[in-house]
């Protein structure tokens, strides 16, 4: 038995608009400073969308309350959130053996060294995945210390496997390990110490 | 004397379109699943922009060559890049004392715990800042090991100071330290070991 641990995007509502925004982010990077693309017209069209949305937003405080209502998975985080265009997004699946896993292929928006994933992006994806692995195992908390080791460059445009597993719980201290690999070879490994504490939800 | 170490966004061309895309990312998150905002129409408008841009992009290989041409600062990375809508972006300034620094205020797109910056986003910003600190000091390379310590939650919507400095160089090993702080209090500290090696530029 496996279980979806992260929000599943649907094809309508804000998720569809966010999926389109991801295409905009990636195609802007791909286009670069390309006069044939009439960038000032593109800027006007995007600003018009932002203006329209700003006319329909709640206060930030109200939005924070809504975001954190209920006990479900988050829909807004920058790693798995279908409502966050920064997120690739990762779809993390809980495995019967206690580990969790996602497969993802990253494009130009996540580039560090030429043609490779930014080391800090790998850190972002792993920090979040370790946190979700803790939820899957039962005891979760906030990151205390996170150590990343970079074994080889992580390629863009190839399917990566991101996995994590809770190793141990000792009182409030939780230790969790994870990796990003490609074709069975580990690119980045993470070793996290989490503290079993949570910030209050906005209300 | 101080020096801008990262690309300065201009108000035209792709930078203006990317700045507008950042507004779209943030307002989509702020709006949430809000039927009054007519999200399917928003999705259509954003997909139309992406379709238009896709008609004007070079091949990925050509774009990679262009991105990495010249010896200047990158314009496309996910931390400082004015051409990357994922980047806040950070404007890193080199200080006469050898350290570098940026001030930035982060919004909903970078949220982890309620009202706070995602721990993995802090890792992303610090990894990149440590790398730029190495360029400022003279010897630079790729991240080998990065350790993040989380001292207190990092708030959204407040001005953060991100700073870094190269500590030592021992052969090909470079050690670099950095922090994210708010109001003089350290939220996250980073300790990085970099290896003086670089991937070849695409050509």
């Amino acid at each position: 038995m496996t279980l979806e641990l992260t929000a599943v995007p649907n094809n309508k509502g804000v998720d569809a608009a966010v999926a389109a925004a991801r295409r905009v982010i990636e195609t802007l990077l791909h286009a670069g400073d390309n006069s044939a693309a009439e960038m000032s017209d593109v800027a006007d069209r995007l600003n018009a969308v932002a203006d329209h949305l700003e006319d329909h937003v709640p206060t930030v405080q109200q939005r924070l309350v809504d975001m954190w209502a209920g006990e479900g998975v988050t829909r807004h985080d920058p790693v798995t959130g279908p409502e966050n265009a920064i997120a690739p997004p990762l779809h993390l699946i809980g495995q019967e053996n206690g580990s969790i896993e996602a497969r993802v292929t990253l494009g130009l928006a996540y580039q560090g060294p030429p043609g490779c994933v930014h080391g800090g992006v790998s850190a972002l994806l792993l920090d979040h995945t370790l946190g979700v692995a803790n939820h899957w195992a039962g005891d979760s908390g906030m990151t205390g210390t996170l150590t990343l080791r970079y074994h080889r460059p992580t390629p863009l445009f190839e399917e990566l496997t991101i996995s994590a597993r809770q190793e141990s719980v000792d009182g409030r201290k939780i230790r969790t390990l994870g990796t990003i690999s490609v074709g069975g070879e580990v690119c980045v490994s993470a070793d996290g110490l989490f503290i079993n504490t949570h910030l209050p939800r906005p209300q």
Side-chain angles (χ1 to χ4, degrees), chain A:
Chain A
M1 194 202 74
T2 62
L3 190 72
E4 283 271 1
L5 301 179
T6 46
V8 179
N10 57 45
N11 294 328
K12 52 190 172 53
V14 68
D15 291 8
V18 169
R22 281 192 199 103
R23 288 187 62 212
V24 170
I25 295 169
E26 191 70 15
T27 51
L28 279 169
L29 260 168
H30 193 161
D33 223 343
N34 188 327
S35 59
E38 293 166 336
M39 286 295 178
S40 75
D41 181 55
V42 169
D44 289 346
R45 290 164 72 182
L46 294 174
N47 276 317
V49 169
D51 291 342
H52 163 76
L53 288 167
E54 277 178 2
D55 288 341
H56 295 87
V57 296
T59 64
V60 169
Q61 189 53 35
Q62 182 57 52
R63 177 62 180 134
L64 282 170
V65 171
D66 290 347
M67 274 179 166
W68 291 98
E71 291 301 318
V73 296
T74 59
R75 296 187 61 79
H76 52 76
D77 71 77
V79 176
T80 73
E83 298 183 8
N84 191 332
I86 285 181
L90 247 52
H91 305 295
L92 287 161
I93 311 283
Q95 315 287 322
E96 217 169 339
N97 66 8
S99 69
I100 69 168
E101 189 175 294
R103 306 206 170 211
V104 70
T105 300
L106 299 173
L108 292 174
Y110 304 98
Q111 186 178 219
C116 293
V117 178
H118 194 291
V121 168
S122 296
L124 167 60
L125 301 183
L126 280 165
D127 175 60
H128 195 86
T129 300
L130 267 56
V132 176
N134 289 333
H135 279 283
W136 179 234
D139 290 290
S140 67
M142 291 174 69
T143 319
T145 309
L146 180 69
T147 302
L148 289 315
R149 288 186 182 80
Y150 296 87
H151 306 274
R152 51 151 286 177
T154 306
L156 295 177
F157 312 121
E158 294 184 38
E159 191 184 70
L160 307 175
T161 301
I162 305 183
S163 62
R165 159 202 295 273
Q166 188 176 86
E167 272 302 293
S168 60
V169 177
D170 176 13
R172 291 173 62 218
K173 290 185 185 174
I174 301 164
R175 184 153 174 249
T176 317
L177 304 177
T179 57
I180 298 178
S181 57
V182 64
E185 209 177 329
V186 173
C187 303
V188 189
S189 58
D191 186 334
L193 180 69
F194 293 77
I195 310 299
N196 191 338
T197 184
H198 296 272
L199 293 183
R201 288 173 177 238
Q203 37 183 289

